[in-house]
Amino acid sequence: MLIKVEKLTKDYINEEVVTKVLHGLSFTIDAGEFVSIMGPSGSGKSTLMHILGFLDRASSGSYEFDGRNVNSLSDDELASFRNQKIGFVFQSFNLLPRTSVLENVKLPMLYNTKVTENPSKRAEKVLDQVGLAHRLHYFTNQISGGEKQRVAIARALVNNPAVIFADEPTGNLDSKSGTQVMAILQRLNDEGHTIILVTHETFTSEHAKRIISMKDGTIIDDKPVIHRRFAKEGEMLK
């Protein structure tokens, strides 16, 4: 078991006004799973992802990651854990402007004290995995949206994380580019990577193997995908 969450809550306090966002969530995720966390805007799915990805802390309840009690980690330990164990892919790409594709992908390795591989060689390897070996020295403003998201996936992969979180990864892409991104995520899962996809779209969520459905800060359903969708990467990535 990689992730175990019990009775997790999250409250935000602003000028003594308490806003309850998550209401006692409990679930587990095993290593190697591909799980979608799906729900409409305001359902709490992004807040949950931030807690699972060590970007925020729960207000109460317990969170264990790979047998480790996350609640007991200091802020520095949390940051180190996040850098070494988690890869993020965001809707807005979050790439550095006026910086090469290669340098963007190398960035997480600069903060990882456990790196043993040459950063440039490792970055080249993961860029090849997402079909961008021919774009190494392009600047991020010289590539398409679909290519930017594939750079973001390569960057998420570079530290060989335990989990890749993909937050609305197709939200800014056309349907063809979005399909290619989902195909890459499915392939990475087939290769053993744990993928947690956050989305508001039923169509996108059905590319996973399991869907945790949220509404108003609670889990309303948690079940395997019966009719799973499969995306194809196509000629562009060869």
Side-chain angles (χ1 to χ4, degrees), residues 86-134:
I86 305 295
F88 290 103
V89 179
F90 294 103
Q91 178 177 345
S92 55
F93 318 130
N94 288 7
L95 301 178
L96 293 176
R98 299 181 297 281
T99 307
S100 73
V101 164
L102 185 66
E103 292 299 319
N104 266 277
V105 174
K106 282 168 57 177
L107 188 63
M109 299 186 78
L110 302 179
Y111 301 96
N112 187 351
T113 57
K114 297 186 178 180
V115 168
T116 56
E117 198 171 347
N118 177 281
S120 291
K121 291 199 178 310
R122 173 65 183 160
E124 288 176 20
K125 187 185 296 183
V126 293
L127 281 163
D128 185 50
Q129 281 184 263
V130 299
L132 288 175
H134 61 303

Coordinates of all heavy atoms in Angstrom, one line a residue, residues 86-134:
I86 N 7.6 12.7 -5.5 CA 6.4 13.2 -6.2 C 6.8 13.9 -7.5 O 7.7 14.7 -7.5 CB 5.6 14.2 -5.4 CG1 5.2 13.5 -4.1 CG2 4.3 14.6 -6.1 CD1 4.3 12.3 -4.1
G87 N 6.1 13.6 -8.6 CA 6.2 14.4 -9.8 C 4.9 15.0 -10.2 O 3.8 14.4 -10.0
F88 N 4.9 16.3 -10.6 CA 3.7 17.0 -10.8 C 3.6 17.4 -12.3 O 4.6 17.9 -12.9 CB 3.6 18.3 -10.0 CG 3.4 18.1 -8.6 CD1 4.5 18.3 -7.7 CD2 2.2 17.8 -8.0 CE1 4.3 18.1 -6.3 CE2 2.0 17.6 -6.7 CZ 3.0 17.8 -5.8
V89 N 2.4 17.3 -12.9 CA 2.1 17.8 -14.2 C 0.8 18.7 -14.0 O -0.2 18.2 -13.6 CB 1.8 16.6 -15.2 CG1 1.4 17.2 -16.6 CG2 3.0 15.7 -15.3
F90 N 1.0 20.0 -14.4 CA -0.1 20.9 -14.1 C -0.8 21.3 -15.5 O -0.1 21.3 -16.5 CB 0.4 22.2 -13.4 CG 0.8 21.9 -12.0 CD1 2.2 21.8 -11.7 CD2 -0.1 21.7 -11.0 CE1 2.6 21.6 -10.4 CE2 0.4 21.5 -9.7 CZ 1.7 21.4 -9.4
Q91 N -2.0 21.8 -15.4 CA -2.7 22.3 -16.6 C -2.0 23.4 -17.3 O -1.9 23.5 -18.5 CB -4.1 22.8 -16.1 CG -4.9 23.3 -17.3 CD -6.3 23.7 -16.8 OE1 -6.8 23.3 -15.7 NE2 -7.0 24.5 -17.6
S92 N -1.3 24.3 -16.5 CA -0.7 25.5 -17.1 C 0.8 25.2 -17.3 O 1.6 26.2 -17.6 CB -0.8 26.7 -16.1 OG -0.4 26.3 -14.8
F93 N 1.3 24.0 -17.3 CA 2.6 23.5 -17.6 C 3.7 23.9 -16.6 O 4.5 23.2 -16.2 CB 3.1 24.0 -19.0 CG 2.0 23.9 -20.1 CD1 1.7 25.0 -20.9 CD2 1.3 22.8 -20.3 CE1 0.8 25.0 -21.9 CE2 0.3 22.7 -21.3 CZ 0.1 23.8 -22.1
N94 N 3.6 25.2 -16.1 CA 4.6 25.7 -15.1 C 6.0 25.5 -15.6 O 6.9 25.2 -14.7 CB 4.3 25.0 -13.8 CG 3.1 25.5 -13.1 OD1 2.3 26.2 -13.7 ND2 2.8 25.1 -11.9
L95 N 6.3 25.8 -16.8 CA 7.7 25.7 -17.3 C 8.4 27.1 -17.2 O 7.7 28.2 -17.2 CB 7.7 25.3 -18.8 CG 7.1 24.0 -19.1 CD1 7.2 23.7 -20.6 CD2 7.8 22.8 -18.3
L96 N 9.7 27.1 -17.0 CA 10.4 28.4 -16.9 C 10.5 29.0 -18.3 O 10.9 28.3 -19.3 CB 11.8 28.1 -16.4 CG 12.0 27.7 -15.0 CD1 13.4 27.4 -14.7 CD2 11.4 28.7 -14.0
P97 N 10.2 30.3 -18.5 CA 10.2 30.9 -19.8 C 11.7 31.2 -20.2 O 12.6 31.3 -19.3 CB 9.4 32.2 -19.6 CG 9.6 32.5 -18.2 CD 9.6 31.2 -17.5
R98 N 11.9 31.4 -21.4 CA 13.3 31.8 -22.0 C 14.4 30.8 -21.4 O 15.5 31.2 -21.2 CB 13.6 33.2 -21.6 CG 12.7 34.2 -22.2 CD 13.0 35.7 -21.8 NE 13.0 35.9 -20.3 CZ 11.8 36.1 -19.6 NH1 10.7 36.1 -20.3 NH2 11.9 36.2 -18.3
T99 N 14.0 29.6 -21.3 CA 14.9 28.5 -20.8 C 14.7 27.3 -21.7 O 13.5 27.0 -22.1 CB 14.6 28.2 -19.4 OG1 14.6 29.3 -18.6 CG2 15.6 27.2 -18.8
S100 N 15.7 26.6 -22.0 CA 15.6 25.4 -22.9 C 14.8 24.3 -22.3 O 14.6 24.2 -21.1 CB 17.0 24.9 -23.3 OG 17.6 24.2 -22.2
V101 N 14.3 23.4 -23.2 CA 13.5 22.2 -22.8 C 14.4 21.4 -21.8 O 14.0 20.9 -20.8 CB 13.1 21.4 -24.0 CG1 12.7 20.0 -23.7 CG2 12.0 22.2 -24.8
L102 N 15.7 21.2 -22.2 CA 16.6 20.4 -21.4 C 16.8 21.0 -20.0 O 16.7 20.2 -19.0 CB 17.9 20.3 -22.1 CG 19.0 19.3 -21.4 CD1 18.5 17.9 -21.5 CD2 20.3 19.5 -22.1
E103 N 17.0 22.3 -19.9 CA 17.2 22.9 -18.6 C 15.9 22.8 -17.7 O 16.0 22.6 -16.5 CB 17.6 24.4 -18.8 CG 19.0 24.5 -19.4 CD 20.1 23.9 -18.6 OE1 20.1 24.1 -17.3 OE2 21.0 23.3 -19.2
N104 N 14.8 22.9 -18.3 CA 13.5 22.8 -17.6 C 13.4 21.4 -16.9 O 13.0 21.3 -15.8 CB 12.3 23.0 -18.5 CG 11.8 24.5 -18.4 OD1 11.1 24.9 -17.5 ND2 12.3 25.3 -19.4
V105 N 13.8 20.4 -17.7 CA 13.6 19.0 -17.2 C 14.7 18.7 -16.1 O 14.4 17.9 -15.2 CB 13.7 18.0 -18.4 CG1 13.7 16.6 -17.9 CG2 12.5 18.3 -19.3
K106 N 15.9 19.3 -16.3 CA 16.9 19.1 -15.3 C 16.6 19.7 -13.9 O 17.2 19.3 -12.9 CB 18.3 19.6 -15.8 CG 18.9 18.8 -16.8 CD 20.1 19.6 -17.5 CE 21.1 20.1 -16.6 NZ 22.2 20.7 -17.3
L107 N 15.8 20.7 -13.9 CA 15.6 21.5 -12.7 C 15.3 20.7 -11.4 O 16.0 21.0 -10.4 CB 14.5 22.5 -12.9 CG 14.3 23.6 -11.8 CD1 15.6 24.5 -11.7 CD2 13.1 24.5 -12.2
P108 N 14.4 19.7 -11.4 CA 14.2 19.0 -10.1 C 15.4 18.3 -9.6 O 15.5 18.1 -8.4 CB 13.0 18.0 -10.5 CG 12.4 18.6 -11.7 CD 13.5 19.3 -12.4
M109 N 16.3 17.9 -10.5 CA 17.5 17.2 -10.0 C 18.4 18.1 -9.2 O 19.2 17.6 -8.4 CB 18.2 16.6 -11.2 CG 17.3 15.6 -12.0 SD 18.3 14.8 -13.3 CE 19.2 13.5 -12.4
L110 N 18.3 19.4 -9.4 CA 19.2 20.3 -8.7 C 18.9 20.4 -7.2 O 19.8 20.7 -6.4 CB 19.1 21.7 -9.3 CG 19.4 21.8 -10.8 CD1 19.3 23.3 -11.3 CD2 20.8 21.3 -11.1
Y111 N 17.7 20.0 -6.9 CA 17.3 20.0 -5.5 C 17.2 18.6 -4.8 O 16.8 18.5 -3.7 CB 15.9 20.7 -5.4 CG 15.9 22.1 -5.9 CD1 15.4 22.3 -7.2 CD2 16.3 23.2 -5.2 CE1 15.5 23.6 -7.8 CE2 16.3 24.5 -5.7 CZ 15.9 24.7 -7.0 OH 15.9 26.0 -7.5
N112 N 17.6 17.6 -5.6 CA 17.6 16.3 -5.1 C 19.0 15.8 -4.7 O 19.8 15.6 -5.5 CB 17.0 15.3 -6.2 CG 16.8 13.9 -5.7 OD1 17.2 13.6 -4.6 ND2 16.1 13.1 -6.5
T113 N 19.2 15.7 -3.4 CA 20.5 15.3 -2.9 C 20.8 13.8 -3.1 O 22.0 13.4 -2.9 CB 20.6 15.5 -1.3 OG1 19.5 14.8 -0.7 CG2 20.4 17.0 -1.0
K114 N 19.9 13.1 -3.6 CA 20.1 11.6 -3.8 C 20.4 11.3 -5.3 O 20.4 10.1 -5.7 CB 19.0 10.8 -3.3 CG 18.8 10.9 -1.8 CD 17.8 10.0 -1.2 CE 17.7 10.1 0.3 NZ 16.6 9.2 0.9
V115 N 20.6 12.3 -6.1 CA 20.8 12.1 -7.5 C 22.2 11.4 -7.7 O 23.2 11.8 -7.2 CB 20.8 13.5 -8.3 CG1 21.4 13.3 -9.7 CG2 19.4 14.0 -8.4
T116 N 22.2 10.3 -8.5 CA 23.4 9.6 -8.8 C 23.8 9.7 -10.3 O 24.9 9.5 -10.7 CB 23.4 8.1 -8.4 OG1 22.2 7.5 -9.0 CG2 23.2 8.0 -6.9
E117 N 22.8 9.9 -11.1 CA 23.0 10.0 -12.6 C 23.3 11.4 -13.0 O 22.9 12.4 -12.4 CB 21.7 9.5 -13.2 CG 21.8 9.1 -14.7 CD 20.6 8.4 -15.2 OE1 19.7 8.0 -14.4 OE2 20.5 8.2 -16.5
N118 N 24.0 11.5 -14.1 CA 24.3 12.8 -14.7 C 23.0 13.5 -15.1 O 22.2 12.9 -15.9 CB 25.2 12.6 -15.9 CG 25.5 13.9 -16.6 OD1 24.7 14.4 -17.4 ND2 26.7 14.5 -16.4
P119 N 22.8 14.7 -14.6 CA 21.5 15.4 -14.8 C 21.1 15.5 -16.3 O 20.0 15.3 -16.7 CB 21.6 16.7 -14.1 CG 22.6 16.5 -13.0 CD 23.6 15.5 -13.6
S120 N 22.1 15.9 -17.1 CA 21.8 16.1 -18.5 C 21.5 14.8 -19.2 O 20.5 14.8 -20.0 CB 23.0 16.8 -19.2 OG 23.2 18.1 -18.8
K121 N 22.2 13.8 -18.9 CA 21.9 12.5 -19.5 C 20.6 11.9 -19.1 O 19.8 11.4 -19.9 CB 23.0 11.5 -19.2 CG 24.4 11.8 -19.9 CD 25.3 10.6 -19.9 CE 26.6 10.8 -20.6 NZ 26.4 11.5 -21.9
R122 N 20.2 12.1 -17.8 CA 19.0 11.7 -17.3 C 17.8 12.4 -18.0 O 16.8 11.9 -18.4 CB 18.9 11.8 -15.8 CG 17.6 11.5 -15.1 CD 17.1 10.1 -15.3 NE 15.8 9.9 -14.7 CZ 15.0 8.9 -15.0 NH1 15.4 8.0 -15.8 NH2 13.8 8.8 -14.4
A123 N 18.0 13.8 -18.1 CA 17.0 14.6 -18.7 C 16.8 14.2 -20.2 O 15.6 14.2 -20.7 CB 17.4 16.1 -18.6
E124 N 17.9 14.0 -20.9 CA 17.8 13.5 -22.3 C 17.0 12.2 -22.4 O 16.2 12.0 -23.3 CB 19.2 13.4 -22.9 CG 19.9 14.7 -23.1 CD 21.3 14.5 -23.6 OE1 21.6 13.4 -24.1 OE2 22.1 15.5 -23.5
K125 N 17.2 11.3 -21.4 CA 16.6 10.0 -21.5 C 15.1 10.1 -21.3 O 14.3 9.5 -22.1 CB 17.2 9.1 -20.4 CG 16.7 7.7 -20.4 CD 17.2 6.9 -19.2 CE 18.7 6.8 -19.2 NZ 19.2 5.9 -18.0
V126 N 14.6 11.0 -20.3 CA 13.2 11.1 -20.1 C 12.5 11.9 -21.2 O 11.4 11.6 -21.6 CB 12.8 11.6 -18.7 CG1 13.2 10.7 -17.6 CG2 13.4 13.0 -18.5
L127 N 13.3 12.8 -21.8 CA 12.7 13.6 -23.0 C 12.5 12.6 -24.2 O 11.5 12.7 -24.9 CB 13.6 14.8 -23.3 CG 13.4 16.0 -22.4 CD1 14.5 16.9 -22.5 CD2 12.1 16.7 -22.7
D128 N 13.4 11.7 -24.3 CA 13.3 10.7 -25.4 C 12.0 9.8 -25.1 O 11.3 9.5 -26.0 CB 14.5 9.8 -25.5 CG 14.5 8.9 -26.6 OD1 14.2 9.3 -27.8 OD2 14.7 7.7 -26.4
Q129 N 11.8 9.5 -23.9 CA 10.6 8.7 -23.5 C 9.3 9.4 -23.9 O 8.3 8.7 -24.2 CB 10.6 8.5 -22.0 CG 11.5 7.4 -21.5 CD 11.3 7.2 -20.0 OE1 12.0 7.7 -19.2 NE2 10.3 6.4 -19.6
V130 N 9.3 10.7 -23.9 CA 8.0 11.4 -24.3 C 8.1 12.0 -25.7 O 7.3 12.8 -26.1 CB 7.7 12.6 -23.3 CG1 7.5 12.0 -21.9 CG2 8.8 13.6 -23.3
G131 N 9.1 11.5 -26.5 CA 9.1 11.8 -27.9 C 9.7 13.2 -28.2 O 9.3 13.8 -29.2
L132 N 10.5 13.7 -27.3 CA 11.0 15.1 -27.5 C 12.6 15.2 -27.6 O 13.2 16.2 -27.3 CB 10.5 16.0 -26.4 CG 9.0 16.4 -26.5 CD1 8.7 17.2 -25.2 CD2 8.7 17.1 -27.7
A133 N 13.2 14.1 -28.0 CA 14.6 14.1 -28.2 C 15.1 15.1 -29.2 O 16.2 15.6 -29.1 CB 15.1 12.7 -28.6
H134 N 14.3 15.5 -30.1 CA 14.6 16.5 -31.1 C 14.4 17.9 -30.7 O 14.6 18.9 -31.5 CB 13.8 16.2 -32.4 CG 12.3 16.3 -32.2 ND1 11.6 15.5 -31.3 CD2 11.4 17.1 -32.9 CE1 10.4 15.8 -31.4 NE2 10.2 16.8 -32.3

